[in-house]
Amino acid sequence: MNAPTAYRVLARKYRPETFADLVGQDAMVRTLKNAFASGRIAQAFIMTGIRGTGKTTTARIIAKGLNCIGPDGTGGPTTEPCGVCEHCVAITEGRHVDVLEMDAASRTGVNDIREIIDSVHYRAASARYKIYIIDEVHMLSTSAFNALLKTLEEPPEHVKFIFATTEIRKVPVTVLSRCQRFDLRRIEPEVMMALLRKIATSESATITDDALALITRAAEGSARDATSLLDQAISHGTGLEDGTTADQVRMMLGLADRGRVLDLFDMVLRGDAAGALAELSAQYADGADPMAILRDLAEIAHWISVIKVTPEAADDPTIPPDERSRGTTMADAIAMRVLTRMWQMLLKALEEVGTAPNSMMAAEMAIIRLTHVADLPSPAELVERLRDMPVPPPNGGGGGGGYRPAPAPSGSVEARGVPMATHSAPRGPVAQLAGQPDYLAQYATFDSVVGLIRAQRDMRLLVEVEGNMRIARYQPGRIEFQPTPNAAPDLAGRLAQRLQNWTHARWAVIIVNEGGAPTITEARDSADNALKDRAAQHPLVAAALLAFPGASIKVTPVAQKAQAAAQDALPEVEDEWDPFEDD
Ligand SMILES: [Zn+2]
């Protein structure tokens, strides 16, 4: 294959020589033109952008513009270098004595930079400016940057620096702050296709628009890559009657037929497992790599999701019109949750196919699983189903005194919910009953006291009671507890005061030294963990975890919503904790 030599030729042949040739970077060109016109030319420039967007090409055009003397030898710095004067020619050919190009990727050390710095003080040999072009400048070592910085701080008048980098974040701010920065954009598909068409025409090559679209998409905004691919594509079509077609480019790039991938995507979504498997093996027989097919499916899932959010995304000129309309139709028809789930499952499948001993087998399994994506329950539906499952009886035990320790998870949730649902804090006529011993009977357990605190919306007290009190003994009107080490010293007093205010009955809250059960928070945490462990073993959840890579189990008490609603329904209380109030 002689393509490599051929494409180098074409990429070089159509390398932009002037700013007018530089496609897709209008903003940068305008800024540079203004700077040159006003005579305010920066001492240092830095070009950043992905590979192949024209960073070093721009650097050379700037170098030419700075040193160009025009065809008659009398011109000054210009943004339209003549291309024929001795300096323009020498720079184009890469042999100008005053324009030094250095690749920082191969010369990262401080000594390499020192060479430059030492030569900075000698005047330019023949041209107006001595110009240093340093490519991949982010690769310089810290000491090299420091050495460079000294020169950048006080550069001689006749010296200009032009840096290029793909990773601007790795360039020290101290260096950046002394450079005029240009962000070279990815070249837009329309602009790229026009550029490729122009080159193809001047090469008298026949190539279809679909083929150019495929090249444009593969180049991902890099003009150099696109030109190289075009060169290969043209040589593939040489001597053929129709020139280069999309099929040839697809083969050259190892791409599956997008139309067929869309067919497969469609079958998967319709749940047509047999059809999808047949299509998969047909594409496999035609030479498509299972991994590539799944990657294409993922790309389509992403593409349709984007169209769903921003319909104008379908107007991508690199995608043939019939595919665009198919994409739009699918975006209308498919729910976002199905698309995101499909995306997640495809990522998982790609992982599996990559590691499976037989990638086709793994791909088939993935396709079968994917055909069920539309009728998989959503996470919310899963939770509903889980809730309807019979729950094993609570496993009691532990705890001391009259305090009922938090029983098994679901039970504890309901127990905490009960006081909320049945009665709120005593007020009005009910409150008048307060003080009578049998009234305290409704606070039969410590849980009901906690419920009262929650009902009164004293969230600070609630947190303290749940987190800092190890209950040793409880009976209505009397609480004995061991404080946790971080408990507030006045917790007992405050709790007694509040309970008395709310229930209009006397409460004894007593600190003891032993016999405390775990705090409510501790009990809840261990219950949550037990619930998670049990949930993870449930086949439905296990399946869900498998289907959603990276998913985790979160405990959401079923009664919580009802509780929250009940709380919201309660009237405001005056005795709410005020963060600015001393108590
Ligand atoms: Zn010139």
Side-chain angles (χ1 to χ4, degrees), residues 31 39 66 70-71 79 99 103 114 160 203 206 215 236 262 266 301 313 427 440 469 471 485-486 576 578:
T31 310
L66 285 168
T79 50
V99 177
D103 183 4
R114 194 152 289 147
K160 301 281 183 200
E203 288 292 306
T206 312
I215 292 173
H236 274 267
L262 274 170
D266 214 26
R427 58 186 65 247
L440 280 178
M469 290 177 70
I471 301 304
N486 56 342
E576 209 163 357
D578 179 350

Side-chain angles (χ1 to χ4, degrees), residues 64-65 67-71 78 80-89:
K64 274 193 277 187
N67 279 342
C68 179
I69 52 172
T78 172
E80 283 159 22
C82 68
V84 296
C85 72
E86 49 170 314
H87 300 296
C88 283
V89 172

